[in-house]
Amino acid sequence: MTNRGLEDWLCYLERLHPTAIDMGLERARLVAQRLGLKRPAPRVVTVTGTNGKGSTCAFISSLLSAQGLKVGVYSSPHLLRYNERVRIDGCEASDAALCEAFEVVEQARRETSLTYFEMGTLAAFWLFERAQLDAVVLEVGLGGRLDAVNLIDADVAVVTNIGLDHAEWLGDTRESVGFEKAGIFRSGAPAVCGDSRPPATLLEVADRLSAPLMLRGREFDLAATPGGWRWRGLAADGQPLLLDHLPLLDLPMENAAVALQAYALLDLPWQPDRLGEALASTRIAGRLDHRQIVWRGKRLNLLLDVAHNPHAAEYLACRLAERPVVGRRTAVFGLLTDKDLAGVVGPLLGAIDAWAVAPLPSPRSCTAQQLAQALNERGASVSIWPDVAQAIEAQGTEATESDEILVFGSFYCVAEALTWLERNAENGGRDIAG
């Protein structure tokens, strides 16, 4: 046994495998067999998709917890602490628990090389098994078919939507991406797809496996109502279900609709009031995350969002259009080089008055100069800063209480903003907007 702390373990995991991403299940499956891992809980929901995985997992977890179930959630990436990736009954796994799990996996892997994500996934499964959970919600890290999470057969497989991202591993067409994400489907087990026009490859996989596919716009859907929204869908036995007078949400209601359909397939109690309350209470850092903070004696309005691809940027632009600000909206923006820069900034140009660009703490980051050039070419007002924290401070110095600072473009960008909030906001970076 070692005496490594969590940070020591994470540094070790980063050096363990020659590459950060190495798609395939063989290595992780071999080590899982040595560990004797079985199912992490009686009910398993696996979630993949180009965008919205995190909020969909959070909604599903809230719906399950509202029934008194003990739920585990595995998600990635984390924003501030690795512990965020493994939640048991609403609480982050402790440093000690994670270190113990890493030690167990390390002993079992022997000569088998595992990636950072594979080690983390197996450690999460080991912790879940020992927690005697009623259900787990597993978020795919990349793709689906060859992701370590896919070692577990899901009772319900969820695809939030399908867009282009991570082309190096998933291909550069929606057909190739759809095939990879449909890899979490299982023979005869139900699947949910929040994309109303999925590529034929996804439909073909579902048909080949005889997996009942619940498709948005067909088996389930949502619609706006005065002051709220309505959901319709199907129960596990095929009977129609309806929820009306649902409250408006800060998180994407499309993902809440997907979560409701996944929940409906688990044959659990259907209590409309309790389900609506569970959705309304769901929060997740960095996704349409409104923060009204006190800084240097004045209030600042911040909006944090991890939007980093065209699909997410288009959705963010729609939500910004729904809630215009009285004053100015400035953006603190950073992006990785493997993202579609033009596709991310394009939808948001009309919603943002000025941009403050900065590099991210990653070797894959775009330089501030690259970001500024792309925005200048599109007629935007741009300033350059050495890092996200200084960009936020510059905007905050000039902002009034009627202005809004949008921080977006990457998990790295939002993580830097959250770190800044914890260190500098006089109310500790908490959301006091209500």
Side-chain angles (χ1 to χ4, degrees), residues 192-225:
V192 180
C193 182
D195 195 315
S196 59
R197 292 185 294 175
T201 49
L202 182 140
L203 302 176
E204 290 165 0
V205 172
D207 184 62
R208 174 167 52 81
L209 295 174
S210 299
L213 180 62
M214 307 292 129
L215 187 63
R216 180 184 165 191
R218 193 176 68 185
E219 283 78 15
F220 76 98
D221 212 345
L222 71 161
T225 60

Side-chain angles (χ1 to χ4, degrees), residues 312-323 347-348 351:
E314 289 167 6
Y315 181 82
L316 177 59
C318 290
R319 294 303 295 264
L320 294 181
E322 292 171 0
R323 46 178 303 279
L348 290 156

Side-chain angles (χ1 to χ4, degrees), residues 39-48 56-57 60-61 64 72-74 135-140 149 152-159 184 190 192 258-259 262-263 265-266 268:
R39 287 178 66 76
R43 300 176 182 88
V44 177
V45 180
T46 299
V47 180
T48 188
T56 301
C57 288
I60 295 171
S61 175
L64 295 170
V73 181
Y74 179 56
V136 295
V137 184
L138 306 177
E139 179 183 348
V140 167
V149 163
I152 305 298
D153 293 335
D155 296 292
V156 179
V158 176
V159 179
I184 67 170
V192 180
V258 171
Y263 174 86
L265 296 171
L266 292 170
L268 291 166

